[in-house]
Amino acid sequence: MSAALNRPAIRALVVKDWQLFEKQLAAYVLAGIGALALIGHAQRWSFYVGSLMLIIIMVAVACFAVSTSLLNERKDKTLAFVMSLPVSPLDFYLAKLIGNLITFGLPFLILAGGAVAVTLSTPVPDGLITLVLLLCAHQLLAFCLSLCVAMQVESEGWNIFAMIGSSVLINPLMAGLSQIPDIARHWPTNEVVWSWQALAILAAQLLLSLALLGYTSWRHLRKQAFY
Amino acid sequence: MPLSLRALDTLRAAAMLAGLFFHAALAHSPLVQPFFPTADASQAAALDLLLWPLHLVRMPLFFVIAGVLAARSLARHGMAGLMQRRARRLLLPLLVGVPLLHLAMTALIQQAMDQVQRPSPLLRWLRQADELSLPLGTGHLWFLYYLLLFLVLLWVARLLLPPGAKAWLRALPLPVWLIGLPLLLTPALATVSAPHPAPEGLLPQFWALAAYGAYFAFGFLFGTRLQQLAGVRVLALLGVGGGLALAAFLALLDAPRAQAGALLGAVSALASAWLTLALIGLALRTCKRQGPLLRYLSEASYWVYLVHLPLLFALQFACMDQPWSWFVKLPLALVVTLGLCLLSYELLGRRLLGRRLPDQARASASTP
């Protein structure tokens, strides 16, 4: 498979996506640093505003990466141009996958790292780290689901549904987690306890994210044409 | 290496080594005795007259020089090249250093709590707690974290600022900086404790972003015109103005304050900004040559700064029970720590940080 890949073209397509979305990414990163600084300001109001900003930015980044690089390009009919390039459908798919993972991954890692730092280095109880990481993993899963749908389904309606639906599920997830005593009872304490339930949910989120990416890749490996 | 870079390199090395002196001397400063872990029984009020002025200019110097060198590296290697170089030079030491430092400091303080007979007030207080749990932070490596943040913000600014704004910022004349820097610094320093703390937390602090960011921005935007600071009139103005502000700062700083307030914040800002720029001007005027010893110290100073604190603390804890005067303990701590740091540089640091780079490349290397 690797011999058939046009690596320079894949690289060029990834760089193209990066350059197109760099400005918006920079704005997200700036907002993310602002949110973390607000949380670090150690005032009650700034903590809530910062935390809210952080969640909004994470959701926005996940939607932004998918909608700009896949849905908007589809609407702008850039595929016809891409088909004129010396790239195979697999090259194009890999370029989109890598580009999206970078566009989402860079701010996601900064924000997730910041959220962990908030929990461990402020008076916020350390026990909340399980909730923080489960919410971050949910956001990762939501992104993978949106990406998977965007790469397989052309309908804009379904894509919007997948993006909003997966992101909004963060509320029932929080509510559900708070109903599991072995997870929730450690949140107000300074002890970090990874119960088997928390580990199972985290593992399921990560494995499902990987499975979604794997399934999409498998589908694209079988594709002979761009459509 | 161009003369101006040689002068900045010497200044950077001096500031790094001044950091070693600063941390060593804090053990004998009456001002921080209640809350410094290695605070010794032998105190010297006179040291405070040296320490706190140093505190106002030491880190600002790093950030100005880092800004100058970031601009040069950006012009030469582009943003990707700059990021790649800084990741190797700043991010790696930060990622490796922070956990190691945390473990070392926890172990050292735990041992001191168990063994020291004449403990510092902080050690005594920690003994009363059931369990030692130091908050996770960047320690004295905070400057690496902030330099990385400033590089990210530089990337953001390059993308989001309109070209007109960038050109306007680059063309700001020296008098605007001389007035603007203290104005930017005053609210930042007024809202934190006095003497201002080190922003060691894992989350970015607004005051540190504003204060040190202003110095970094000055170095980045004004770096090619730094020679203007070496003029006699400018130097005299900065020296007199900064000196007066410093005198006011020392007069007002009779005890540590939870919040500096507007007046102390303003005089700290004036003294910090003007004396930092005066030192740069003075270095550009006087540091024409770099002898072999100075070159070696300059080369090793980054490593020395990275590794000195655990060694220094170990030594100061070990000497805490000795009935010696600060006059003996301080030079002893300085000489032994510096010796051990240089030895470790020869054995390990030189290999880890890379051999001495050719002058041209070295000039563009990161030098926090």
Side-chain angles (χ1 to χ4, degrees):
Chain A
M1 184 184 83
S2 61
L5 290 178
N6 186 346
R7 286 166 197 265
I10 294 175
R11 192 183 144 81
L13 285 171
V14 172
V15 171
K16 184 265 296 174
D17 273 0
W18 171 260
Q19 286 174 346
L20 275 178
F21 310 133
E22 206 179 6
K23 267 193 180 179
Q24 290 90 328
L25 258 182
Y28 282 125
V29 170
L30 181 65
I33 291 175
L36 292 175
L38 270 173
I39 297 170
H41 196 50
Q43 302 283 332
R44 190 176 284 269
W45 68 268
S46 65
F47 180 80
Y48 286 119
V49 174
S51 308
L52 189 64
M53 260 179 82
L54 210 60
I55 293 176
I56 291 172
I57 295 163
M58 270 201 195
V59 172
V61 165
C63 296
F64 159 79
V66 174
S67 66
T68 44
S69 79
L70 287 160
L71 306 186
N72 286 356
E73 282 202 358
R74 205 172 279 156
K75 258 197 290 190
D76 296 341
K77 301 196 187 310
T78 52
L79 193 58
F81 166 71
V82 173
M83 285 167 76
S84 71
L85 300 174
V87 289
S88 67
L90 182 61
D91 293 334
F92 182 62
Y93 160 72
L94 282 177
K96 283 294 166 197
L97 180 68
I98 296 167
N100 266 281
L101 287 177
I102 294 173
T103 314
F104 169 73
L106 183 75
F108 175 76
L109 285 176
I110 293 176
L111 298 178
V116 170
V118 167
T119 319
L120 295 180
S121 68
T122 62
V124 173
D126 289 1
L128 273 174
I129 199 80
T130 50
L131 176 66
V132 168
L133 287 180
L134 288 171
L135 293 182
C136 288
H138 171 79
Q139 212 44 59
L140 178 69
L141 176 59
F143 166 75
C144 290
L145 179 70
S146 306
L147 183 63
C148 174
V149 172
M151 286 185 148
Q152 317 244 19
V153 181
E154 298 218 356
S155 155
E156 196 176 346
W158 277 113
N159 273 297
I160 291 172
F161 176 76
M163 275 193 277
I164 295 178
S166 58
S167 296
V168 168
L169 280 176
I170 202 166
N171 278 322
L173 175 72
M174 283 168 77
L177 290 173
S178 67
Q179 297 305 309
I180 304 173
D182 281 351
I183 297 180
R185 72 188 152 95
H186 301 292
W187 289 348
T189 70
N190 261 333
E191 199 181 0
V192 179
V193 178
W194 282 98
S195 62
W196 70 266
Q197 293 96 329
L199 284 174
I201 295 170
L202 186 67
Q205 288 170 320
L206 297 178
L207 286 175
L208 207 52
S209 303
L210 279 177
L212 282 167
L213 294 180
Y215 171 70
T216 318
S217 303
W218 178 73
R219 286 285 303 263
H220 279 267
L221 272 173
R222 290 157 49 103
K223 264 180 145 181
Q224 297 299 319
F226 280 92
Y227 288 103
Chain B
M1 196 189 320
L3 269 181
S4 60
L5 282 180
R6 195 174 299 158
L8 292 183
D9 194 42
T10 307
L11 195 58
R12 176 193 64 90
M16 287 272 180
L17 296 176
L20 171 57
F21 169 77
F22 179 75
H23 290 140
L26 282 177
H28 308 285
S29 157
L31 208 62
V32 293
Q33 200 214 11
F35 36 78
F36 199 68
T38 61
D40 198 89
S42 172
Q43 297 284 304
L47 270 179
D48 278 337
L49 297 177
L50 189 60
L51 276 184
W52 303 113
L54 196 61
H55 187 51
L56 290 176
V57 296
R58 195 172 59 83
M59 297 314 291
L61 279 173
F62 287 142
F63 283 100
V64 173
I65 296 170
V68 174
L69 298 179
R72 286 177 59 88
S73 186
L74 183 66
R76 193 169 296 171
H77 307 289
M79 187 49 89
L82 170 69
M83 290 293 188
Q84 205 181 346
R85 281 165 171 75
R86 295 308 188 266
R88 203 181 55 214
R89 183 94 171 156
L90 305 175
L91 186 60
L92 267 180
L94 182 71
L95 293 179
V96 175
V98 164
L100 286 179
L101 186 72
H102 184 73
L103 290 174
M105 285 306 191
T106 306
L108 281 170
I109 292 177
Q110 184 66 61
Q111 198 187 15
M113 282 164 59
D114 295 341
Q115 292 181 358
V116 173
Q117 302 297 313
R118 299 166 69 192
S120 62
L122 182 66
L123 278 185
R124 239 189 333 261
W125 181 78
L126 285 171
R127 268 183 187 168
Q128 290 164 4
D130 289 339
E131 194 184 339
L132 174 65
S133 167
L134 293 182
L136 189 63
T138 50
H140 74 292
L141 303 182
W142 66 265
F143 70 98
L144 297 176
Y145 177 62
Y146 276 84
L147 277 177
L148 288 165
L149 272 177
F150 294 146
L151 288 171
V152 172
L153 290 174
L154 175 65
W155 168 68
V156 170
R158 269 172 57 87
L159 287 167
L160 298 185
L161 281 181
K166 284 186 229 173
W168 179 77
L169 283 171
R170 265 192 225 104
L172 282 179
L174 183 59
V176 173
W177 282 109
L178 295 186
I179 298 164
L181 271 178
L183 283 178
L184 277 170
L185 259 60
T186 297
L189 295 179
T191 50
V192 290
S193 59
H196 64 271
E200 294 176 351
L202 291 178
L203 291 171
Q205 300 285 305
F206 277 125
W207 77 267
L209 285 174
Y212 296 116
Y215 284 115
F216 183 86
F218 170 75
F220 185 84
L221 295 165
F222 200 78
T224 52
R225 292 177 286 156
L226 280 182
Q227 208 61 42
Q228 290 181 26
L229 294 171
V232 177
R233 281 181 58 190
V234 175
L235 261 179
L237 192 71
L238 289 172
V240 172
L244 287 173
L246 182 62
F249 167 76
L250 288 172
L252 288 168
L253 191 69
D254 47 357
R257 295 188 191 181
Q259 192 169 24
L263 186 59
L264 193 53
V267 291
S268 312
L270 284 168
S272 173
W274 289 350
L275 291 179
T276 299
L277 301 191
L279 282 173
I280 292 172
L282 201 63
L284 289 169
R285 202 175 174 81
T286 55
C287 297
K288 309 275 187 210
R289 287 180 60 245
Q290 213 177 30
L293 178 66
L294 205 55
R295 201 177 310 137
Y296 176 73
L297 284 176
S298 155
E299 200 183 309
S301 61
Y302 183 42
W303 174 262
V304 170
Y305 195 77
L306 290 180
V307 302
H308 78 278
L309 207 61
L311 295 171
L312 177 71
F313 271 33
L315 205 66
Q316 289 187 322
F317 282 136
C319 294
M320 207 172 249
D321 286 335
Q322 304 303 324
W324 305 334
S325 152
W326 68 272
F327 200 72
V328 176
K329 285 184 176 178
L330 179 58
L332 183 73
L334 279 172
V335 170
V336 176
T337 306
L338 184 62
L340 289 173
C341 288
L342 291 176
L343 185 67
S344 70
Y345 175 68
E346 288 302 326
L347 296 175
L348 190 66
R350 197 186 277 275
R351 252 170 268 165
L352 288 180
L353 293 181
R355 288 179 182 283
R356 184 176 164 81
L357 302 170
D359 276 351
Q360 203 180 22
R362 187 160 161 265
S364 67
S366 121
T367 51

